[in-house]
Amino acid sequence: LGDVYKRQARAPMPGTVVEITVAAGDPVTKGQSMITIESMKILTMITAPRDGEVSQVHVEPGDTFDKNAALITLREKEE
């Protein structure tokens, strides 16, 4: 199960998606901003947990989600 959390950017709290700055197939580096959420009137940037490539974006701007919801899934970067 620990590997799943390394491959996914998950919601730290319930909220709403404000902006998504990556799409499936995009390369990302650890710490890169991928999505902005709003929770309790506070904007939070969700960053890539590791280097890789975006495999799937599970949400769209305006979507609401619960704590620990998978927002973006990464895979190993294809060369």
Side-chain angles (χ1 to χ4, degrees):
L1 186 62
D3 187 51
V4 169
Y5 287 94
K6 291 178 187 173
R7 291 184 290 122
Q8 292 184 330
R10 293 185 163 264
M13 61 197 91
T16 304
V17 177
V18 175
E19 179 183 28
I20 301 169
T21 57
V22 295
D26 287 353
V28 294
T29 55
K30 183 177 181 176
Q32 177 181 335
S33 176
M34 299 190 299
I35 189 168
T36 302
I37 63 170
E38 180 181 347
S39 183
M40 301 184 311
K41 306 286 185 197
I42 297 171
L43 294 178
T44 303
M45 289 190 315
I46 305 298
T47 60
R50 64 176 180 84
D51 292 350
E53 185 175 283
V54 176
S55 172
Q56 186 175 6
V57 178
H58 301 280
V59 292
E60 296 181 3
D63 285 356
T64 58
F65 51 82
D66 293 325
K67 181 178 179 177
N68 290 324
L71 303 174
I72 295 176
T73 300
L74 303 178
R75 63 177 169 237
E76 292 295 323
K77 191 174 181 181
E78 296 179 11
E79 299 298 325

